[in-house]
Amino acid sequence: QAVVTQEPSLTVSPGGTVTLTCGSSTGVVTSGHYPYWFQQKPGQAPRTLIYDTSNKHSWTPARFSGSLLGGKAALTLSGAQPEDEAEYYCLLSYSGARVFGGGTKLTVL
Amino acid sequence: QVQLVQSGAEVKKPGASVKVSCKASGYTFTGYYMHWVRQAPGQGLEWMGRINPNSGGTNYAQKFQDRVTMTRDTSISTAYMELSRLRSDDTAVYYCARFDVDSYDMDVWGQGTTVTVSS
């Protein structure tokens, strides 16, 4: 089974910009992996921010964007807010299977 | 509104089985796949598998292949995930999530069901 890798933790200043990445042990992440990004706050269920690389939901703040960058999937947060402090998980698709990354704990400080 | 409501918390002994339900409302149940994800205490998310409620077809993560069974009852718009031969490391919150095969969107999640495995 593939292993999906994320930065364990990142810190961003309020108003700053940060990029979270999602890599695959099988090689380059492409649109064919249909990358997802989920946000999870303590005690809550995950919430889908981005699906199919870059698509947003109505509830996804405009400051979040998804892309492919340097062979990985990426989630960029531009203009971080205190409420963005959370755990972020990516999910990649491998034919019929899905694999989550280990998550990135984002601190806004 | 679209909603997934899961069954309540369970406490099980090692070796037992648990069956978690996920009742869908506000949309056509057979039009969307259902994925199951779990999260052990203090750990990350783990994908377990998915079911096509229309056909009943399933795909399971290799790790759970021999212990998990996903089913559905279309008459009551409910999906089920049964995990057998429980161990202490199966203690986790189990989530269902709706998946749109056309848009590849996984947009709605259940509230989670806590399963505790303890002797």
Side-chain angles (χ1 to χ4, degrees):
Chain A
Q1 175 177 290
V3 175
V4 177
T5 55
Q6 298 182 244
E7 298 85 3
S9 64
L10 290 170
T11 299
V12 62
S13 301
T17 296
V18 64
T19 297
L20 288 65
T21 67
C22 177
S24 172
S25 63
T26 62
V28 173
V29 175
T30 70
S31 58
H33 290 97
Y34 302 96
Y36 299 81
W37 290 94
F38 305 93
Q39 179 191 64
Q40 188 180 35
K41 296 183 178 179
Q44 297 183 14
R47 181 174 75 151
T48 309
L49 289 179
I50 301 287
Y51 64 98
D52 191 11
T53 305
S54 59
N55 292 296
K56 299 180 185 183
H57 284 286
S58 58
W59 57 78
T60 305
R63 58 186 179 272
F64 288 96
S65 63
S67 65
L68 297 174
L69 194 65
K72 298 181 179 182
L75 176 70
T76 300
L77 171 57
S78 303
Q81 301 298 309
E83 61 264 32
D84 299 328
E85 185 160 297
E87 194 84 23
Y88 292 83
Y89 294 93
C90 69
L91 176 70
L92 299 180
S93 305
Y94 297 88
S95 299
R98 306 285 191 272
V99 181
F100 280 99
T104 296
K105 180 171 176 54
L106 182 65
T107 301
V108 180
L109 190 62
Chain B
Q1 75 280 23
V2 176
Q3 211 172 357
L4 299 175
V5 178
Q6 298 183 222
S7 48
E10 303 262 13
V11 179
K12 296 290 183 181
K13 294 196 182 302
S17 296
V18 68
K19 192 171 186 177
V20 178
S21 68
C22 173
K23 183 170 177 58
S25 61
Y27 72 97
T28 302
F29 177 65
T30 52
Y32 295 77
Y33 283 30
M34 196 72 76
H35 287 243
W36 289 89
V37 173
R38 78 176 187 179
Q39 185 171 38
Q43 302 301 308
L45 301 174
E46 184 173 29
W47 184 78
M48 298 182 70
R50 67 175 186 186
I51 183 168
N52 177 347
N54 190 38
S55 67
T58 55
N59 290 93
Y60 301 141
Q62 196 170 0
K63 174 178 178 176
F64 302 103
Q65 194 80 33
D66 61 343
R67 293 200 297 138
V68 72
T69 304
M70 295 178 187
T71 57
R72 89 294 189 213
D73 184 338
T74 57
S75 69
I76 55 171
S77 299
T78 299
Y80 301 92
M81 186 285 300
E82 184 171 21
L83 190 62
S84 63
R85 303 194 303 278
L86 289 169
R87 307 184 293 252
S88 58
D89 61 358
D90 291 317
T91 294
V93 178
Y94 290 77
Y95 296 100
C96 57
R98 184 181 85 154
F99 175 77
D100 184 340
V101 294
D102 292 324
S103 67
Y104 258 76
D105 187 9
M106 192 181 291
D107 61 346
V108 181
W109 290 67
Q111 83 277 17
T113 296
T114 299
V115 175
T116 302
V117 183
S118 174
S119 55

